[in-house]
Amino acid sequence: MSRKYKIRDQEKLYFVTFTIVEWIDLFTRRIYRDILLDSLRYCQQNKGLDLCAYCIMSSHAHFIIGRNGEQPLEGIIRDVKKFTSVKIIEEIQINPQESRKDLLLWHFSKAGRFNPNNKSFQVWQQHSHPVELNTNDKLSRCLHYIHHNPVEAGIVLSPEEYLYSSASNYAGLTDTLMEVILVE
């Protein structure tokens, strides 16, 4: 892994991206998005995750995260990815309505076979490319990028309309999916 993409200061906020292997459009189904959100909630409550911004797109998710406990940020990221991978694979296997079951399992199995860190399936790409947000300008640019991702993709006209994003939190709306720590 490049030294450019390492978490050096555990007390800083970081912009990270979790990407599905081969950029597969996994998060087109609500159940998989909800697995990710549930894992993030668990880490907020039990592992010291500070979630400041998020956006779940079809093949990836962006976050601004920090920590408020003793567990290293890398450990929290690892735990989220590991837990969600297992749960997503289980859901694919048992869901009779998953029309892409064979295709998804084949791709995740293929990725897992070529990665010595996995036993059988790999859902997430290995890297998260953490970028330390050590200036207000970087923080502001990343926050804008995260929240405008669905707008740029042509999914919504304004960021706060996208359900699976913290843009609604920042717009002051009360009906949001996740609690976040507002920054700017």
Side-chain angles (χ1 to χ4, degrees), residues 6-177:
K6 290 196 184 252
I7 294 174
R8 298 180 193 287
D9 186 344
Q10 294 291 327
E11 306 312 313
K12 299 284 186 181
L13 294 178
Y14 285 84
F15 169 77
V16 295
T17 300
F18 297 179
T19 307
I20 302 297
V21 296
E22 300 181 33
W23 289 83
I24 294 170
D25 288 322
L26 180 70
F27 293 121
T28 56
R29 300 206 191 285
R30 179 179 184 171
I31 185 65
Y32 307 134
R33 294 187 303 254
D34 288 347
I35 288 170
L36 178 56
L37 291 176
D38 287 343
S39 180
L40 293 169
R41 282 187 201 98
Y42 178 85
C43 288
Q44 284 176 306
Q45 295 166 2
N46 299 290
K47 295 187 178 259
L49 173 66
D50 282 340
L51 180 64
C52 300
Y54 71 94
C55 182
I56 302 173
M57 299 297 286
S58 64
S59 62
H60 62 285
H62 297 296
F63 306 98
I64 293 177
I65 59 172
R67 70 169 192 152
N68 62 42
E70 294 300 315
Q71 185 161 352
L73 212 41
E74 300 93 338
I76 296 171
I77 291 169
R78 178 201 62 230
D79 291 351
V80 168
K81 284 183 161 185
K82 184 175 181 179
F83 176 81
T84 56
S85 291
V86 169
K87 286 297 190 188
I88 286 168
I89 293 298
E90 286 175 1
E91 184 60 34
I92 291 169
Q93 290 173 329
I94 66 168
N95 187 347
Q97 295 173 327
E98 178 53 79
S99 60
R100 307 169 300 161
K101 180 184 294 192
D102 292 338
L103 178 68
L104 291 172
L105 292 175
W106 182 82
H107 280 286
F108 296 149
S109 175
K110 182 179 77 166
R113 280 194 309 270
F114 293 106
N115 183 346
N117 296 327
N118 291 337
K119 293 180 182 167
S120 53
F121 295 103
Q122 180 175 343
V123 173
W124 299 106
Q125 292 181 17
Q126 293 255 164
H127 53 80
S128 304
H129 291 302
V131 175
E132 184 178 310
L133 302 178
N134 53 11
T135 68
N136 288 339
D137 182 56
K138 273 189 189 177
L139 178 61
S140 180
R141 282 188 289 122
C142 285
L143 195 57
H144 182 272
Y145 176 79
I146 288 171
H147 289 157
H148 282 79
N149 222 232
V151 175
E152 293 297 319
I155 299 169
V156 293
L157 293 175
S158 64
E160 61 275 2
E161 293 174 354
Y162 191 64
L163 182 61
Y164 288 90
S165 163
S166 57
S168 56
N169 300 77
Y170 282 83
L173 302 177
T174 57
D175 192 20
T176 60
L177 293 178

